[in-house]
Amino acid sequence: MEQRKLYPPYGVNQTGYLDTGDGHQIYWELCGNPKGKPAVFIHGGPGGGIANYHRQLFDPERYHIMLFEQRGCGRSKPHASLENNTTWHLIDDIERLRNLMGVEKWLVFGGSWGSTLSLAYAEKYPDRVSELILRGIFLLRPQELHWYYQEGASRFFPDKWERTLSILSEEERGDVIAAYNKRLVSDDRQVQLEAARLWSLWEGETVTLLPSENADSFSEDKFALAFARIENHYFINGGFIDETQQLLDHIDVIRHIPAIIVHGRYDMTCQVQNAWDLAKAWPEAELYIVEGAGHSFDEAGILHQLIQATDKFVTQ
């Protein structure tokens, strides 16, 4: 079967800023057919952003798509802000954006951290979600953070991990997330930037199975500062989800929602075990484990499954 690719580039119909009322301005854009199936794209990170090619995951003739940049990310303001920036703030923002779009329900598409936020949103507002497409599953469990920022992925990338540890003392290396946090919230902007570049580059160079020419863009100052500060802020706080709110424990409230889960077999950022655990808890969901792929959405096999998914749900 021929591998599906992104839809050809297309523009936006409308852009704007959502005033959250507590100090943030959320950048959003609407694309596609205003009479098409409503969908929202939730980006990764936390601390990432959207790019033009993200809208190309959807057929512009059949979908009406909301894309937005989470608090402190991309074009949202203030840049890299941690104030009033938690999972629950973001969920409220998504619901405000649905109301702004004027739709009763929408398809929710999220990858990596976007899968976490999509699940959390759906569990809080199950009646507002028509379908879910989830990629690179991240469930925010302590063992997942330990794998990527302490012991696990580092064994596959010892050279890149050594660079990540290079600014830390031996004592600090026992808790890398906490050690980086001290630097990322420092009053010294240069200290922030040094840590941000290293933190971001670690992810940029490990999200794909094969080296990517886009990895260096992770260390660009503006992107790195938001990405590292916000991501670290969420992780040191356990994603603001306590043990009684664990996403897997509340799957029953969304099991009626049609869902497709896509995960790369060799994902070093978020292990395939995450997707397996989610599918076991949610047997009604369709699980696609993609051979020869890592974490990134645009790796060939993963992208194929994602386009198949958006096409499937728009025809049902």
Side-chain angles (χ1 to χ4, degrees):
M1 180 187 297
E2 182 180 354
Q3 292 284 295
R4 297 295 306 279
K5 297 180 180 179
L6 292 171
Y7 278 93
Y10 57 93
V12 300
N13 302 333
Q14 188 178 355
T15 66
Y17 282 89
L18 172 74
D19 188 340
T20 66
D22 58 4
H24 288 269
Q25 299 284 327
I26 306 299
Y27 172 81
W28 58 266
E29 56 188 41
L30 285 172
C31 312
N33 182 353
K35 296 182 179 180
K37 181 181 180 67
V40 59
F41 176 85
I42 301 181
H43 68 70
I50 58 173
N52 293 344
Y53 48 72
H54 287 138
R55 67 182 77 120
Q56 295 169 239
L57 289 157
F58 304 86
D59 181 347
E61 298 298 321
R62 298 188 292 174
Y63 272 103
H64 193 205
I65 314 108
M66 167 72 76
L67 301 95
F68 71 101
E69 293 181 310
Q70 296 159 29
R71 297 185 178 211
C73 307
R75 287 155 285 191
S76 292
K77 299 177 282 190
H79 181 70
S81 172
L82 307 182
E83 186 176 355
N84 296 324
N85 197 338
T86 73
T87 303
W88 309 108
H89 286 102
L90 301 185
I91 288 172
D92 288 345
D93 293 344
I94 296 170
E95 187 61 2
R96 290 191 188 101
L97 289 168
R98 183 191 61 78
N99 285 318
L100 184 152
M101 192 175 178
V103 298
E104 182 179 350
K105 287 188 174 186
W106 52 5
L107 178 148
V108 178
F109 183 123
S112 191
W113 157 252
S115 75
T116 322
L117 194 52
S118 296
L119 285 168
Y121 171 75
E123 289 178 2
K124 185 170 182 180
Y125 296 105
D127 295 338
R128 300 307 185 187
V129 180
S130 57
E131 302 90 6
L132 281 158
I133 299 175
L134 306 170
R135 188 269 312 164
I137 304 304
F138 176 45
L139 300 171
L140 255 179
R141 296 174 294 183
Q143 64 264 36
E144 296 173 45
L145 294 174
H146 188 81
W147 159 266
Y148 197 52
Y149 292 104
Q150 207 62 52
E151 296 180 29
S154 60
R155 299 175 187 177
F156 294 87
F157 304 98
D159 50 337
K160 302 179 192 308
W161 187 240
E162 184 173 295
R163 180 186 60 206
T164 306
L165 297 179
S166 64
I167 60 172
L168 307 184
S169 68
E170 287 295 328
E171 183 179 1
E172 288 178 311
R173 295 178 186 191
D175 190 340
V176 171
I177 293 176
Y180 262 85
N181 182 260
K182 293 176 183 176
R183 290 162 172 79
L184 291 168
V185 299
S186 167
D187 293 333
D188 187 328
R189 181 174 172 81
Q190 290 309 309
V191 170
Q192 283 190 28
L193 279 171
E194 179 185 40
R197 294 186 197 109
L198 290 173
W199 176 281
S200 300
L201 195 57
W202 163 247
E203 188 153 336
E205 292 189 344
T206 56
V207 290
T208 52
L209 180 63
L210 299 176
S212 169
E213 60 185 22
N214 296 324
D216 287 346
S217 65
F218 275 72
S219 61
E220 293 174 359
D221 287 357
K222 184 177 181 182
F223 176 86
L225 198 62
F227 187 79
R229 275 173 53 84
I230 296 171
E231 193 168 73
N232 180 276
H233 166 70
Y234 273 72
F235 294 168
I236 201 169
N237 287 292
F240 304 94
I241 296 178
D242 64 35
E243 292 183 4
T244 64
Q245 299 168 321
Q246 279 298 328
L247 299 173
L248 288 181
D249 295 340
H250 295 270
I251 287 297
D252 282 353
V253 303
I254 62 171
R255 281 179 57 178
H256 65 284
I257 300 174
I260 292 176
I261 302 166
V262 180
H263 206 108
R265 172 78 70 185
Y266 304 106
D267 187 335
M268 290 294 163
T269 305
C270 300
Q271 296 178 85
V272 70
Q273 185 70 48
N274 302 347
W276 187 255
D277 292 345
L278 178 59
K280 283 294 186 180
W282 192 359
E284 296 83 2
E286 298 178 42
L287 171 64
Y288 296 92
I289 296 176
V290 181
E291 303 293 346
H295 183 69
S296 184
F297 90 96
D298 56 358
E299 294 181 75
I302 293 177
L303 181 58
H304 171 78
Q305 292 295 346
L306 294 177
I307 300 294
Q308 291 272 85
T310 57
D311 281 358
K312 175 180 178 176
F313 284 144
V314 81
T315 57
Q316 291 185 344

